[in-house]
Amino acid sequence: MHSVQFTAETSSNGVRERDFLVGDVPGVLWSPVTASDHAPVVLMGHGGGLHKKTPAQAARALVTVTTWGFHVVAIDAPGHGERPRTPEDDRARDEMRQAMTAGDKARFESVSVRYTTSLASRAVPEWQATLDALQRLPEIGAEAPIGYGGGISMGTAIGIPLTAADPRIVAAVFGGGFFVYESLLAAARNITVPVQFLLPWDDEYVDRQSSLTLFDAFASAEKTLHANPGDHRRIRWIGLDNEFLARHLREATTSMV
């Protein structure tokens, strides 16, 4: 059982940013400088080929911390950010590039599904170990409600099996932009917490019908779908329920009192 090893810390504009390791998995924890004990925690996944501290990811984290007083945590997915790539990672990336260059959509989908499945199988236990370690921090504790703040594409391909597997997550934001496969649909059928699902309506590779099938698979009594035109890599989200996670995490906090 690993503990959190903090490796760097900065503070600015009321936000405390701490880099950490849990085992060999690097992460970052953003918190209010004057956080209340056991404030809710939002887990943020990142997209494929990116890392835990992209400008967009950091901006979303800072808004969450300063607006709601929550903690936000992100970790690098396997083979991303500060983490070394395995031969399997390099081979999959090369095959995806070759398929895209050749315009071979069937091969691109096949390789993407195989690679994403592998990433999720590795990342889910890493997220759970990270959450175990964070809950041993006195400012977080086992009482803090947990939400999954998503990241579309790969962040959701990992977030869905994580949310299905971990009962500590009480609400989740997911998004499309990746190929849907049967094991992901099976995981979605086991999710009953409130879900907000963001759908890029004009993704270059992913048929929107597969994303609609995924949304339909969620077993949640409360689930909402929000679609905007555009591809997942360039989309501008307008009209979102930006209070979705805050509302459900605060409700969870109240129910624990």
Side-chain angles (χ1 to χ4, degrees):
M1 182 179 293
H2 296 291
S3 59
V4 176
Q5 177 187 348
F6 289 111
T7 58
E9 178 175 335
T10 60
S11 295
S12 178
N13 299 318
V15 178
R16 184 185 186 193
E17 178 181 305
R18 288 177 283 176
D19 294 340
F20 66 80
L21 289 170
V22 173
D24 59 359
V25 177
V28 56
L29 176 64
W30 291 278
S31 304
V33 169
T34 56
S36 58
D37 287 343
H38 314 313
V41 179
V42 176
L43 315 180
M44 281 192 179
H46 62 77
L50 303 177
H51 58 85
K52 64 184 179 297
K53 279 192 182 182
T54 62
Q57 179 107 325
R60 287 170 51 222
L62 296 180
V63 168
T64 302
V65 172
T66 57
T67 303
W68 306 111
F70 297 168
H71 302 281
V72 178
V73 60
I75 62 175
D76 283 327
H80 288 70
E82 299 178 61
R83 304 186 64 182
R85 294 200 294 265
T86 66
E88 177 193 2
D89 295 329
D90 286 330
R91 185 165 53 252
R93 291 185 180 206
D94 288 343
E95 289 182 16
M96 283 190 284
R97 280 192 293 267
Q98 293 168 10
M100 292 173 68
T101 300
D104 188 342
K105 291 189 176 182
R107 184 186 178 202
F108 179 59
E109 179 175 355
S110 175
V111 176
S112 296
V113 168
R114 186 176 73 243
Y115 183 46
T116 303
T117 304
S118 169
L119 285 174
S121 69
R122 289 178 277 165
V124 167
E126 292 173 351
W127 265 116
Q128 291 183 299
T130 298
L131 189 49
D132 289 343
L134 290 172
Q135 287 187 319
R136 291 195 291 274
L137 297 176
E139 66 267 36
I140 293 179
E143 299 88 352
I146 311 298
Y148 190 79
I152 59 176
S153 67
M154 190 185 78
T156 285
I158 292 171
I160 287 175
L162 172 63
T163 302
D166 201 312
R168 291 173 291 189
I169 298 174
V170 300
V173 178
F174 300 132
F178 60 95
F179 297 107
V180 176
Y181 41 92
E182 185 52 45
S183 62
L184 199 69
L185 291 170
R189 296 184 189 108
N190 287 320
I191 291 176
T192 59
V193 301
V195 167
Q196 180 176 224
F197 188 80
L198 313 183
L199 175 57
W201 197 247
D202 305 298
D203 200 85
E204 182 178 357
Y205 292 99
V206 180
D207 176 16
R208 69 174 71 115
Q209 183 57 51
S210 67
S211 295
L212 294 172
T213 300
L214 176 60
F215 176 76
D216 191 51
F218 292 119
S220 308
E222 180 185 335
K223 58 181 181 180
T224 57
L225 184 146
H226 184 95
N228 278 148
D231 179 86
H232 79 273
R233 293 163 295 184
R234 297 176 292 274
I235 196 166
R236 291 183 64 241
W237 294 108
I238 299 171
L240 298 181
D241 178 3
N242 292 315
E243 297 188 2
F244 173 83
L245 276 181
R247 183 169 62 252
H248 287 291
L249 291 175
R250 285 181 168 174
E251 287 175 357
T253 301
T254 301
S255 69
M256 292 177 182
V257 175

